[in-house]
Amino acid sequence: MAKATLVSEGKSIAHTAASDLAAGDVVVVGQIVGITSNPIASGALGALHLSGIFDMAKDTATAITAGARVYWDVADQELNTTASGNLLVGCAVDAATSE
């Protein structure tokens, strides 16, 4: 049987900032989308949160139902419900109307 050793609970990962980051910045590392909770100076090591409930910018033309998968559009810097070309962030906890 294959074995695994717990390394971390996976709630956050260490990240060295390529530029100054403010608290609440959305950071993409490969296919991972993380959120800073504290500022991280360029070149400094900080944490990116991978779990939790966050209010994030969303595509205003998109209505999102509670429980729907949501994706980060790197180019537009917003959430939507389109998987193709975007990165999975998680599932919406609350519904959001198009606005």
Side-chain angles (χ1 to χ4, degrees):
M1 175 177 285
K3 301 244 182 212
T5 302
L6 179 66
V7 175
S8 168
E9 290 187 21
K11 294 178 182 180
S12 65
I13 59 171
H15 175 72
T16 301
S19 60
D20 289 344
L21 298 172
D25 280 352
V26 178
V27 179
V28 175
V29 180
Q31 296 294 303
I32 300 170
V33 178
I35 313 284
T36 60
S37 60
N38 297 305
I40 307 172
S42 179
L45 185 65
L48 299 181
H49 288 276
L50 305 181
S51 65
I53 299 172
F54 297 90
D55 283 329
M56 298 173 72
K58 77 163 199 63
D59 175 20
T60 57
T62 301
I64 299 175
T65 58
R69 287 186 178 157
V70 288
Y71 300 85
W72 186 249
D73 182 326
V74 174
D76 291 337
Q77 297 287 289
E78 62 190 13
L79 292 176
N80 61 44
T81 56
T82 304
S84 180
N86 296 314
L87 301 172
L88 180 64
V89 173
C91 294
V93 175
D94 292 322
T97 61
S98 57
E99 302 174 17

